[in-house]
Amino acid sequence: MDYKDTNAAISTITYNKEAIEAPTNNIYEAISIIAKRADQINSDLKTELVDKLEEFATYNDSLEEVFENKEQIEVSKFYERLPKPTALAIEEWLNDKVYYRTPDAE
């Protein structure tokens, strides 16, 4: 999924409780689902960032040769400016883009 083209809030905002709990009729279940989705998004973003930063990695054993790569700094700043995974997960939840299921109770 492309997390860069999103309308998620950059800063903290207040959400309508009824809108969040509407799909499940249980606020705790909805928050649990959102939290699990936020963990998935965080894992995806971290993997993507590590892959991009590995392109700039230098494998020298010398600590004296530390230099800053402008492209590496720009990549890091871009990922820092993205909305937090929780905000992305809440936006997906409110737009009905999250698939969830509950195991059948016996």
Side-chain angles (χ1 to χ4, degrees):
M1 175 155 202
D2 189 19
Y3 302 116
K4 288 102 183 144
D5 298 327
T6 182
N7 295 327
I10 302 289
S11 62
T12 305
I13 64 169
T14 304
Y15 292 97
N16 184 358
K17 177 183 159 281
E18 286 81 22
I20 295 218
E21 72 180 1
T24 61
N25 295 323
N26 185 338
I27 189 70
Y28 301 107
E29 185 177 353
I31 290 173
S32 175
I33 294 168
I34 291 169
K36 289 178 184 178
R37 179 64 185 136
D39 286 342
Q40 291 173 345
I41 292 171
N42 189 38
S43 176
D44 291 347
L45 287 175
K46 185 175 180 180
T47 303
E48 188 176 318
L49 176 61
V50 167
D51 289 344
K52 287 187 178 185
L53 290 179
E54 281 181 355
E55 296 174 7
F56 304 109
T58 57
Y59 299 103
N60 295 346
D61 291 337
S62 174
L63 293 175
E64 298 168 1
E65 296 182 23
V66 176
F67 61 93
E68 296 179 353
N69 188 336
K70 291 193 184 291
E71 291 86 13
Q72 181 179 4
I73 293 170
E74 289 300 316
V75 168
S76 296
K77 284 184 179 181
F78 174 78
Y79 278 93
E80 288 176 2
R81 285 186 294 239
L82 285 176
K84 302 296 181 213
T86 307
L88 293 168
I90 291 173
E91 181 196 10
E92 288 181 359
W93 178 256
L94 293 175
N95 293 330
D96 295 326
K97 294 181 180 178
V98 176
Y99 170 76
Y100 67 96
R101 61 186 174 140
T102 55
D104 295 331
E106 293 183 23

